[in-house]
Amino acid sequence: MKRIELNESVYARNNGIAQEVRRALDARGIRMYNLLGTPGSGKTTLLEQLLRCDNRRIAVIEGDLFTDEDAQRIRACGVQAVQLNTQGACHLEADAVAQALGQLDLDGIDTIVVDNVGNLVCTAEFSLGEHRRIAVISVTEGNDKPRKYPLIFRTSDIVVLNKMDLLPYTNFDPVRFARDVRQLNPRVEILSCAAVRGEGVQELRKRLTGDRNKEDG
């Protein structure tokens, strides 16, 4: 009972801060995206390709257990990036994102991407104040991810199926994967790409741009 009460308290505190983050972003007209996926799914590579398409008015918050290597990669694309190290924790929480926002120059920024810690469990449980969630799954991870980790698929707005260039070398079944995902979340959009080659990245960029334009309208 005490453990349940403690968990509820942690979630309630986090959700309260997330709501404050969301209100602060809305007041500035900024959209924030929470990028989720396992280590090695290609999240950061996908983000780099997105920034090469267009890095105007975008800032990035990088989450990782240790090192600032990913933030360095993003800064090399000409974009502001704040590195958040969790020192072993498997997810980011809203208070850390709120602090990171205070380290960014938000003048002229209309989009923030949070590249969350590589994890399919805890990251799905904690809202950061984001407007939309994007889950990145690679074909090398196998078909069982929707069945084993349903929450991340239920709560994501877009699922990116990455590393499609490696599909011929796996037993991954994209049709079965899409069916399992849509059983969990009928409204989700599934996009395919090979981020390392830049293939399919423009489709995701179009969705984000359309989302931004819809908000402005």
Side-chain angles (χ1 to χ4, degrees):
M1 180 65 71
K2 289 183 179 179
R3 182 175 181 180
I4 293 174
E5 291 174 353
L6 177 59
N7 285 343
E8 289 178 347
S9 175
V10 169
Y11 290 135
R13 176 181 178 276
N14 182 81
N15 289 339
I17 297 173
Q19 290 173 10
E20 293 175 5
V21 168
R22 178 73 172 265
R23 285 193 291 267
L25 293 171
D26 287 342
R28 282 182 165 268
I30 297 173
R31 300 281 289 180
M32 187 164 77
Y33 299 89
N34 191 355
L35 193 61
L36 309 171
T38 58
S41 62
K43 293 188 290 95
T44 307
T45 299
L46 176 63
L47 183 52
E48 286 177 311
Q49 293 286 8
L50 284 169
L51 296 174
R52 290 188 181 111
C53 295
D54 183 3
N55 64 12
R56 297 171 299 171
R57 304 167 71 182
I58 298 176
V60 174
I61 297 172
E62 279 288 343
D64 220 332
L65 276 68
F66 303 97
T67 85
D68 66 344
E69 292 180 14
D70 286 350
Q72 291 182 42
R73 289 170 60 181
I74 297 304
R75 292 181 191 124
C77 297
V79 175
Q80 290 186 78
V82 173
Q83 181 74 56
L84 296 177
N85 289 133
T86 64
Q87 304 298 319
C90 61
H91 62 279
L92 293 177
E93 296 186 14
D95 57 350
V97 171
Q99 293 176 31
L101 290 173
Q103 299 178 48
L104 293 168
D105 180 2
L106 298 179
D107 290 342
I109 297 296
D110 66 13
T111 302
I112 293 173
V113 179
V114 179
D115 187 0
N116 213 321
V117 178
N119 187 287
L120 290 183
V121 182
C122 305
T123 53
E125 297 178 344
F126 286 83
S127 171
L128 306 179
E130 70 268 21
H131 294 84
R132 302 189 81 184
R133 286 185 172 186
I134 303 170
V136 182
I137 307 295
S138 69
V139 300
T140 56
E141 296 176 63
N143 278 103
D144 58 0
K145 294 301 175 289
R147 299 187 299 279
K148 286 187 174 181
Y149 307 99
L151 183 60
I152 197 167
F153 296 97
R154 287 192 183 116
T155 61
S156 290
D157 302 284
I158 298 173
V159 170
V160 177
L161 186 54
N162 192 23
K163 303 188 181 181
M164 288 295 287
D165 52 319
L166 299 180
L167 184 63
Y169 309 103
T170 73
N171 61 357
F172 189 89
D173 184 347
V175 175
R176 178 181 177 182
F177 176 81
R179 182 192 65 212
D180 289 346
V181 170
R182 291 201 168 99
Q183 284 179 348
L184 294 167
N185 185 354
R187 65 178 176 79
V188 75
E189 185 168 13
I190 302 174
L191 303 177
S192 298
C193 77
V196 72
R197 297 183 177 183
E199 297 171 0
V201 176
Q202 281 288 6
E203 289 303 311
L204 177 59
R205 181 67 192 176
K206 288 177 184 177
R207 301 307 189 279
L208 302 189
T209 301
D211 189 38
R212 175 74 266 170
N213 292 339
K214 186 185 299 183
E215 179 70 12
D216 290 341

